[in-house]
Amino acid sequence: MSNDLLDDLYRELILDHYKQPRNNVTLPAANCAADGSNPLCGDQIQITLTLTGEKVEQIGFTGSGCAISQASASMMTEFVQGQSVIDALDGIAAFQTMMTTSAPTNAVGFDDIDALIGVSKFPARVKCASLGWKTLEQALSTNNGVEVTTE
Ligand code: ZN
């Protein structure tokens, strides 16, 4: 497979997540939430998630901004849904490693997410791709049992 074709496939996957974001909801019964923004690009992500014990039972995100930021957040929600908090944190770390080393992670469940590896060559875009993951990290740290109210 030529590199150009691979790039095209990756682009397709990213655009697919951008146009049809997965888990694109605000969860009314969430007990963790965080908002993140990347002012350099104008990207915004809001994450709500339901933690049951140590498991991410459900996760939803809403947001606006560039295709990279929204696709990465969509892929992140697919990865993290049903995972333990520890596995979710491992995923965040694996993603950051991929962004800094430009090497595939081989992490379990990262099949789609590895499509974002090309972003690592563009430092300004790394902030876009990382936004959803950083916001997830914040959301997990807000777990205090307080229910989130949505308008
Ligand atoms: Zn962006």
Side-chain angles (χ1 to χ4, degrees):
M1 195 184 288
S2 77
N3 278 336
D4 281 353
L5 181 55
L6 202 58
D7 281 351
D8 282 347
L9 286 176
Y10 279 180
R11 199 171 298 123
E12 290 278 308
L13 194 55
I14 289 165
L15 285 176
D16 181 60
H17 274 272
Y18 175 53
K19 289 176 180 165
Q20 297 173 59
R22 319 302 197 263
N23 305 303
N24 193 217
V25 292
T26 301
L27 299 172
N31 53 11
C32 297
D35 290 353
S37 66
N38 170 24
L40 289 175
C41 183
D43 307 318
Q44 299 201 323
I45 299 280
Q46 298 85 36
I47 287 178
T48 47
L49 67 90
T50 311
L51 267 191
T52 307
E54 284 295 301
K55 189 179 163 196
V56 179
E57 200 72 44
Q58 254 195 310
I59 181 165
F61 90 97
T62 56
S64 58
C66 70
I68 299 288
S69 67
Q70 305 303 307
S72 182
S74 170
M75 292 174 181
M76 177 278 291
T77 63
E78 278 200 318
F79 166 77
V80 87
Q81 182 122 281
Q83 298 263 33
S84 68
V85 170
I86 287 172
D87 287 344
L89 293 173
D90 281 351
I92 294 166
F95 187 82
Q96 292 305 332
T97 300
M98 180 170 83
M99 286 296 118
T100 48
T101 64
S102 299
T105 59
N106 298 318
V108 175
F110 258 50
D111 309 350
D112 282 10
I113 297 164
D114 279 338
L116 290 164
I117 193 166
V119 173
S120 63
K121 300 189 185 83
F122 304 95
R125 302 332 293 275
V126 167
K127 290 192 192 306
C128 302
S130 302
L131 178 60
W133 298 81
K134 292 202 161 135
T135 309
L136 168 65
E137 194 170 24
Q138 282 176 29
L140 288 171
S141 74
T142 66
N143 177 31
N144 52 13
V146 176
E147 290 212 351
V148 176
T149 50
T150 54
E151 69 264 34

